[in-house]
Structure formats: structure tokens, C-alpha cells
Amino acid sequence: DVKPEEYGWTLNALCGLEEAGESIPCEETFSDEMLVMAGLSDAQSDRLLAALRLCLQPNIALKAVLTPANRRWTAAYLYQELCMEHAALRAGKGARG
């Protein structure tokens, strides 16, 4: 679990891959759960997502994998990006009927 005072930390820090250092000030609150996977192989990620869908937490809509491109993002920034992506996907599905 990530505490609100940690929302300004980088994903690397939240995943324990670097010291947290200073947090970027963040007024954001999250209304949805978010899952960030780090250090898993593709097969492990697939198994984790399948298990979540089947029995544990099928309602976690916001999911990401830690990558070189996003590792310096804050939790708050990732949340905004995932919300926009999720909204775009929902809009696309609705447009197709």
C-alpha cells in the first residue's frame, strides 16, 4: 500500500529500487486502486493478472508495469496517465458498440 504522503515519490522508490529521497508535493487523491508490477517476467505478470481476474481483485482497472520510460514518474503522474488511458479505452469500446 502506498500512503498519500508517498504519492510524490518515484515509482523506482515505491518499488524499493532506490532511496525515496524528497517527495514531490502532491495534492492528488486516488479514487481507484492502481497496481504496478516490477521485477516480474512476462509469464509471471500474466499469471498474476489471471489470478487477479479469477479470484482476488477483478476490479483493479489501473495496471502498469515498471519500465525504463516510467520509472522516474511519481505515483500521482502514473495515476493520471492510467486514468486517461483507461478513459480512452472505454471510449473506444463504446464507439464500436
Side-chain angles (χ1 to χ4, degrees):
D1 285 339
V2 176
K3 299 174 187 84
E5 59 268 19
E6 299 169 339
Y7 291 173
W9 290 4
T10 66
L11 297 179
N12 259 359
L14 290 170
C15 291
L17 301 174
E18 69 184 20
E19 290 295 318
E22 261 187 67
S23 178
I24 296 169
C26 176
E27 299 294 323
E28 184 88 29
T29 58
F30 300 172
S31 57
D32 299 305
E33 288 185 301
M34 181 170 61
L35 171 70
V36 178
M37 296 176 283
L40 301 176
S41 68
D42 288 345
Q44 289 170 322
S45 294
D46 290 344
R47 286 194 303 270
L48 173 61
L49 293 173
L52 289 172
R53 277 192 299 272
L54 290 174
C55 60
L56 299 175
Q57 282 291 344
N59 295 324
I60 300 175
L62 305 177
K63 301 174 196 75
V65 173
L66 187 69
T67 68
N70 68 16
R71 64 189 179 96
R72 297 275 179 224
W73 293 2
T74 64
Y77 186 79
L78 176 65
Y79 180 79
Q80 292 170 354
E81 289 292 313
L82 290 177
C83 284
M84 288 189 302
E85 182 180 295
H86 189 63
L89 288 171
R90 281 195 320 252
K93 286 182 182 176
R96 285 185 230 131

